Amino acid sequence: MNYGHEGAGGQRPLVVRVPVEPVEAVAEADAADAVRRAGGFAVRGPVFGVAAQDADDGARWRVVVAVTADNPQEARDSLNSLLWFKAKDDAKDRAERRGLLAAVAQLERERVEELAVLDTRYRIVRAEEYAGEGSGGIELPRPSDPEPATPDWDPKTPAVRIDDGLVLDPDAPLTPAQAAETLALRTLTYTGMRFPAPVRNDSLRARQTHPDVVLLPATYTLVERSSTGWTPVSSMHPTPHEARRTLEYTLLQFEPRRRGLLPDLHADARTLLAAGECDPQTAAQLAAYVAGADQLRAAPVNELEVDGIVYRIARTRRMLRWGPDGPETPRPTDPSGQDPCPIHVPLDEDGNIMPTPAPGPETDMDMEMDTETDTDNT
């Protein structure tokens, strides 16, 4: 990956503001420390979501589907669901519902990158996921990153949604650290020979068509150390604590189950060990997982080694490329995902679910037609 600085031709000027609030000043100091520790960026690849823009939004777009999907079709399917439920539950009248259902029908058959629904533009957007990386490996959460005052370990508690209510504003003032990161990322392109030539060409073209960069909020991903570096073993999370909750699930349920240590889907390492109903070898293995989970609950742990595997909470970041008409859409060489298809049952103009026709008994006419067909093919 290349990153650096280039001329300002065709690019928006960056407005830099000095942080004055104490909390923001601490976050700025943490960002400066992170830059000194990191030798560069480790880029994972593209992620996708959906942004919307109304007529009075100016240059701003609103994220309506989190920019976390692995391929554009996953984001399209999420938009399909968003519009389907709007048609079912929120449409004010038949005309509005018809407009929403027409967009749903289009998403069921086409790989759209943008569509207008009533007075709103919806766009499938593309971001680049990356992380800081230095001599100590991939970046950990920073001291100023959000942590709950009282950690909640109840798996039934819903997590904060990533990008919830996020507004993308290319003209918003930036702190000095944000401005420096934005400038550094403007010329980031795929350059390694492990990328096919069409992918590299798309990356170079994007620098021209979408020369600006908008930074998205940091996310947190559970990774494990491998012989080649750090491998993601979870999706993105909105806070370090949510990633730790995933690590606790990994230790108490996923890994023991994968290794055949749990008798059924309802058991977990802690309860099974406490019950004392397993052989000594299994008990010793479960005890290692439980000890790791106890460490997580005792204090905010960002790295943990259990049974020879080193887990880390990685601070992952995302950047959107931005052009004169807004955020970048998927590139021709991006992974496409499955083909578009219906994912919800049909609705009528009144928002009622339409029954799916069931195959009925064969009629005399059907049998007569089948007989004629068989005779013709003889």
Side-chain angles (χ1 to χ4, degrees), residues 294-306:
D294 289 343
Q295 279 186 262
L296 287 175
R297 293 206 175 197
V301 175
N302 292 322
E303 185 169 307
L304 192 64
E305 182 172 356
V306 179

Side-chain angles (χ1 to χ4, degrees), residues 45-188:
V47 287
F48 305 88
V50 181
Q53 185 186 57
D54 294 327
D56 57 354
D57 284 337
R60 296 181 297 275
W61 291 71
R62 295 169 288 108
V63 174
V64 294
V65 172
V67 188
T68 58
D70 290 331
N71 60 70
Q73 189 57 44
E74 186 179 336
R76 293 185 192 104
D77 288 344
S78 295
L79 176 58
N80 183 327
S81 288
L82 177 71
L83 299 178
W84 188 89
F85 279 105
K86 277 182 177 290
K88 178 178 177 294
D89 301 325
D90 301 330
K92 299 181 181 65
D93 51 41
R94 285 185 169 186
E96 186 171 309
R97 187 171 289 109
R98 277 196 296 268
L100 291 164
L101 293 177
V104 168
Q106 186 176 353
L107 286 162
E108 289 176 345
R109 63 178 185 269
E110 298 177 23
R111 295 186 186 276
V112 302
E113 293 187 350
E114 182 176 318
L115 74 166
V117 185
L118 306 175
D119 296 324
T120 301
R121 295 169 72 190
Y122 292 93
R123 177 177 292 183
I124 310 301
V125 299
R126 179 195 197 277
E128 204 77 63
E129 185 185 6
Y130 64 100
E133 189 172 42
S135 58
I138 197 166
E139 185 182 6
L140 296 162
R142 299 173 184 173
S144 55
D145 285 339
E147 295 284 2
T150 303
D152 185 344
W153 293 97
D154 186 347
K156 297 179 181 178
T157 301
V160 178
R161 294 172 58 190
I162 294 177
D163 298 337
D164 189 28
L166 179 63
V167 175
L168 306 173
D169 186 353
D171 300 316
L174 306 174
T175 68
Q178 291 169 338
E181 186 170 348
T182 298
L183 286 172
L185 291 167
R186 276 182 169 178
T187 55
L188 184 144

Side-chain angles (χ1 to χ4, degrees), residues 222-226 229-233 250 255 309-312:
L222 178 62
V223 299
E224 66 178 48
R225 190 163 60 196
S226 65
W230 295 92
T231 303
V233 292
T250 299
E255 275 298 322
I309 299 177
V310 178
Y311 300 95
R312 176 176 285 194

Side-chain angles (χ1 to χ4, degrees), residues 189-237:
T189 56
Y190 295 130
T191 57
M193 295 308 295
R194 67 189 179 95
F195 298 105
V199 173
R200 299 197 303 270
N201 292 338
D202 273 356
S203 183
L204 288 170
R205 190 177 303 109
R207 279 179 52 184
Q208 304 302 317
T209 60
H210 296 78
D212 295 309
V213 164
V214 172
L215 302 179
L216 301 183
T219 54
Y220 306 87
T221 305
L222 178 62
V223 299
E224 66 178 48
R225 190 163 60 196
S226 65
S227 59
T228 58
W230 295 92
T231 303
V233 292
S234 82
S235 58
M236 300 178 198
H237 298 281

Side-chain angles (χ1 to χ4, degrees), residues 341-353:
C341 64
I343 58 177
H344 292 286
V345 295
L347 297 176
D348 65 18
E349 290 187 341
D350 295 312
N352 301 310
I353 293 175

